[in-house]
Amino acid sequence: MRGHVTKTILLMAGVGFAVFVLVMIMDLGEVIAQSTWGGDGSSLAGLTDFWVFRFLLNILGYASIVIPAAILIRYIKRSNFLERSAGKGCTYNVVKACVYGTADELPTTQLDSEAPAPSPSRFPRWAILIFCVVGLQGSYLTWGVLQERIMRHEYGGTEDEPAEKFQNSQFLVFVNRILALTIAGIYLSLFRQPRHGCPMYKYSYASLSNIMSSWCQYEALKFVSFPTQVLAKASKVIPVMLMGKLVSRKTYEYYEYVIAALISVGLSMFLIAHGPDDEKKSTTVTTFSGIILLAGYMMFDSFTANWQAELYKYKMSSFQMMFGVNCFSCLFTSAALLQQGGFIEAFSFMFRHQLFAFHVFLNSICSATGQMFIFFTINQFGAMVFVIIMTTRQALAILLSCIIYAHPVSIMGGFGIGIVFLAMFLRVYASHRMKQKKARQQENNTGVKV
């Protein structure tokens, strides 16, 4: 099984690398052609704004931390550091927490328990549900509008301020993560949590994929419209099913294949009907770059979800997960920004455009509060209610974006959007019915009401 998984991952990595090189060559040719014959800048300036070039710089920045840390962890494990330290000293405790974890020291009752259940609220359930709906919709709808404003529109444009666009997606990821880390840290210090047993370095895997998915998400908005991005996120079930089939040999119900087919049809209808943005005059190459970035977002995000599911086996709370992942995210993104001079560039842009600073701060607030509403809603009402709220939010996000930023949507594109969201609601309904059916079967087999 392990050999099969390894071969599958290597095959997927090889195909992905081949596509990546093809896109790089195509985009590089376009950049050089525009820089050479466009007459609006040098080749070096064009290359530094080239998304593949920025992506490689980010990878180098992360590698400057990942590679030394991996070598150190490998050395610690091979040298039997814990046995030689005899369980004494501050260094022993730090190394054990970061490399080995403390799960072996936890009693069975601790391992089998979750965070303390919330005490019964004095507010009625319908009031709490309205609070969750308003919180989730308000946070993520505002977050989506601000994302598009920051990445696709110019700041300035007056006599005193020349119009310019912000280009550094990495900085936006950093600001979101540093605020989320702060909120998670405050929450952990105020409320009792399960004893932590997960090795700290394991958070770095989810952190890397998380920041890379967020970077792809921001960067894709330079090439595709926000409605296209939302529909691509809605189709994330397709790569998740493919990865589960190839890597884990999972089996899926028939309705899941039907829903994946409906989402593919709806997304294809929208993409075919949705013409290039008149403002950007998108070429085939830039549109293809946007699709590749969206595919990268879905791939990295799918890995993040699967890896976090593995980490939850240590019976940690959601806020412990939030703190651990964001801690490494801040470390990785700050290292890359320092090496590239990204902080200087971003803060200079903030000083030139105060409206941009306000948008970035509000964007981070919405991202962090949205995460807290996610945890609270799932805790109070379960995953089913949460999925319904977030599916509705995606439809409202497309509508809001089309109204505010005047995105044209044809009749065929509207039908495509409708098919995608119809498939998503069918998925929620079918999943709920399947759970009820299994519960009834278990009740009939055991005679115990589930």
Side-chain angles (χ1 to χ4, degrees):
M1 177 64 184
R2 187 173 181 180
H4 172 75
V5 172
T6 303
K7 290 179 181 178
T8 303
I9 293 175
L10 289 175
L11 178 61
M12 293 174 63
V15 173
F17 180 74
V19 174
F20 179 81
V21 171
L22 176 63
V23 175
M24 182 176 67
I25 293 172
M26 293 171 65
D27 275 358
L28 186 60
E30 183 184 34
V31 168
I32 294 175
Q34 289 179 351
S35 301
T36 304
W37 295 290
D40 58 351
S42 65
S43 297
L44 182 60
L47 286 174
T48 55
D49 289 336
F50 180 33
W51 73 267
V52 177
F53 182 79
R54 291 194 299 271
F55 179 81
L56 293 176
L57 284 180
N58 291 341
I59 295 296
L60 288 175
Y62 306 151
S64 66
I65 294 179
V66 171
I67 293 177
I71 294 173
L72 181 60
I73 291 173
R74 189 177 181 86
Y75 169 76
I76 289 173
K77 288 185 175 181
R78 285 193 168 188
S79 62
N80 297 321
F81 175 83
L82 294 186
E83 289 77 3
R84 292 190 291 106
S85 300
K88 297 180 180 179
C90 179
T91 304
Y92 171 87
N93 294 328
V94 172
V95 170
K96 183 171 178 60
C98 292
V99 179
Y100 294 95
T102 57
D104 57 329
E105 298 177 356
L106 301 181
T108 305
T109 54
Q110 178 68 40
L111 285 171
D112 293 338
S113 63
E114 297 283 354
S119 57
S121 174
R122 57 190 177 90
F123 298 101
R125 295 286 290 171
W126 62 265
I128 299 176
L129 179 60
I130 292 176
F131 174 71
C132 292
V133 171
V134 172
L136 285 170
Q137 300 285 8
S139 298
Y140 282 107
L141 288 176
T142 306
W143 182 60
V145 170
L146 288 173
Q147 272 188 328
E148 187 168 9
R149 174 64 182 89
I150 292 171
M151 298 306 301
R152 287 184 64 86
H153 296 271
E154 295 178 336
Y155 287 90
T158 63
E159 295 181 358
D160 299 328
E161 294 179 320
E164 55 181 335
K165 286 185 177 180
F166 185 71
Q167 299 292 335
N168 198 334
S169 303
Q170 183 88 300
F171 179 75
L172 299 178
V173 178
F174 169 77
V175 175
N176 287 348
R177 299 302 177 268
I178 194 71
L179 186 59
L181 175 68
T182 303
I183 291 176
I186 293 174
Y187 185 91
L188 293 179
S189 63
L190 294 178
F191 300 96
R192 184 181 178 184
Q193 303 292 314
R195 185 178 175 187
H196 189 266
C198 177
M200 286 297 296
Y201 83 90
K202 289 191 175 183
Y203 288 111
S204 64
Y205 298 100
S207 173
L208 274 173
S209 59
N210 179 256
I211 59 179
M212 291 173 78
S213 69
S214 297
W215 184 87
C216 289
Q217 177 183 358
Y218 281 114
E219 202 72 14
L221 282 174
K222 299 177 183 178
F223 303 99
V224 299
S225 66
F226 182 76
T228 304
Q229 186 189 80
V230 173
L231 286 181
K233 291 180 184 179
S235 66
K236 189 171 63 175
V237 62
I238 299 173
V240 169
M241 288 178 64
L242 288 174
M243 188 172 292
K245 195 75 175 176
L246 291 172
V247 177
S248 304
R249 295 183 179 180
K250 290 183 179 179
T251 57
Y252 297 95
E253 301 290 341
Y254 288 112
Y255 77 86
E256 294 181 277
Y257 291 103
V258 174
I259 288 170
L262 284 174
I263 291 176
S264 300
V265 170
L267 183 60
S268 300
M269 288 176 63
F270 178 81
L271 292 176
I272 292 172
H274 189 62
D277 192 343
D278 292 335
E279 293 180 3
K280 287 183 70 68
K281 299 295 181 182
S282 300
T283 65
T284 302
V285 174
T286 56
T287 302
F288 190 54
S289 294
I291 294 173
I292 292 298
L293 285 166
L294 287 176
Y297 158 77
M298 289 188 287
M299 180 185 70
F300 290 127
D301 195 57
S302 298
F303 176 85
T304 303
N306 282 281
W307 188 262
Q308 286 181 325
E310 291 295 317
L311 292 183
Y312 273 121
K313 292 179 179 179
Y314 288 94
K315 304 299 180 183
M316 66 185 68
S317 71
S318 298
F319 281 92
Q320 286 174 325
M321 173 73 76
M322 183 177 174
F323 183 87
V325 172
N326 284 299
C327 181
F328 279 98
S329 296
C330 292
L331 179 64
F332 292 138
T333 52
S334 60
L337 286 168
L338 285 171
Q339 294 169 19
Q340 300 170 29
F343 283 119
I344 298 175
E345 173 191 352
F347 286 123
S348 298
F349 196 95
M350 280 185 171
F351 283 122
R352 293 195 301 272
H353 308 287
Q354 286 75 28
L355 181 61
F356 166 77
F358 172 72
H359 285 166
V360 170
F361 179 73
L362 185 58
N363 183 62
S364 302
I365 290 289
C366 291
S367 177
T369 54
Q371 289 187 52
M372 297 184 70
F373 272 109
I374 287 175
F375 300 146
F376 182 73
T377 304
I378 293 176
N379 180 272
Q380 292 290 326
F381 299 99
M384 187 63 62
V385 172
F386 167 72
V387 170
I388 294 173
I389 295 173
M390 295 304 283
T391 301
T392 307
R393 189 271 303 180
Q394 289 178 316
L396 291 176
I398 292 179
L399 178 63
L400 198 61
S401 176
C402 291
I403 293 174
I404 295 176
Y405 299 112
H407 295 299
V409 179
S410 65
I411 296 177
M412 182 178 176
F415 274 117
I417 295 174
I419 290 173
V420 170
F421 285 102
L422 174 63
M424 293 174 66
F425 279 111
L426 284 175
R427 183 188 179 207
V428 174
Y429 174 75
S431 176
H432 180 62
R433 290 296 300 270
M434 288 297 297
K435 287 182 179 178
Q436 287 183 328
K437 182 179 178 181
K438 291 179 180 179
R440 285 195 299 268
Q441 290 177 347
Q442 184 177 353
E443 180 180 347
N444 292 334
N445 294 334
T446 61
V448 179
K449 189 174 181 179
V450 180

